[in-house]
Amino acid sequence: MPGETIAYKDCQLYINEKAVDDYVKDCSTKDFSLSSLYGYLLIPNDYYFIMGDNRDNSSDSRDKRIGLVSKEQIEGTVSIRLYPFKKFGKLK
């Protein structure tokens, strides 16, 4: 999210310098820290860092050809939540 920092080190995703309990453990993802801000990338206003669940084969913000995604580039709606399963159902 805008204003947050992100890094991926030793198979662990960090947001705002805190380890994220991430259900995807992708040790094939190379460590990244794309800024001089203490090794973390600072997400600017109106931009987002995206990562796919199939991280071995995802073209996402880790790819320099894609990078950060601007708010204007994002479209879509969500009507059903599939995961986590205990929250499965139609969204209002």
Side-chain angles (χ1 to χ4, degrees), residues 4 13 17 19 30-31 39 41 43 45 49 52 62 66 70 76-78 92:
E4 293 181 329
L13 177 64
E17 301 183 40
K30 294 180 181 175
D31 290 355
L41 169 69
I43 310 296
N45 289 337
F49 188 95
R62 296 170 296 159
I66 296 173
S70 72
T77 59
V78 177
K92 297 177 183 180

Side-chain angles (χ1 to χ4, degrees), residues 64-82:
K64 291 180 183 180
R65 295 172 295 173
I66 296 173
L68 297 174
V69 176
S70 72
K71 185 176 180 178
E72 290 79 32
Q73 293 174 299
I74 300 173
E75 299 183 14
T77 59
V78 177
S79 57
I80 296 174
R81 180 188 345 232
L82 300 176

Side-chain angles (χ1 to χ4, degrees), residues 22-65:
D22 188 7
Y23 69 95
V24 178
K25 293 294 182 190
D26 179 15
C27 292
S28 67
T29 296
K30 294 180 181 175
D31 290 355
F32 64 80
S33 53
L34 308 171
S35 170
S36 61
L37 180 68
Y38 309 107
Y40 286 78
L41 169 69
L42 175 62
I43 310 296
N45 289 337
D46 296 326
Y47 282 87
Y48 297 84
F49 188 95
I50 57 171
M51 288 176 64
D53 286 350
N54 185 5
R55 295 193 186 150
D56 282 347
N57 297 306
S58 291
S59 295
D60 53 31
S61 291
R62 296 170 296 159
D63 187 328
K64 291 180 183 180
R65 295 172 295 173

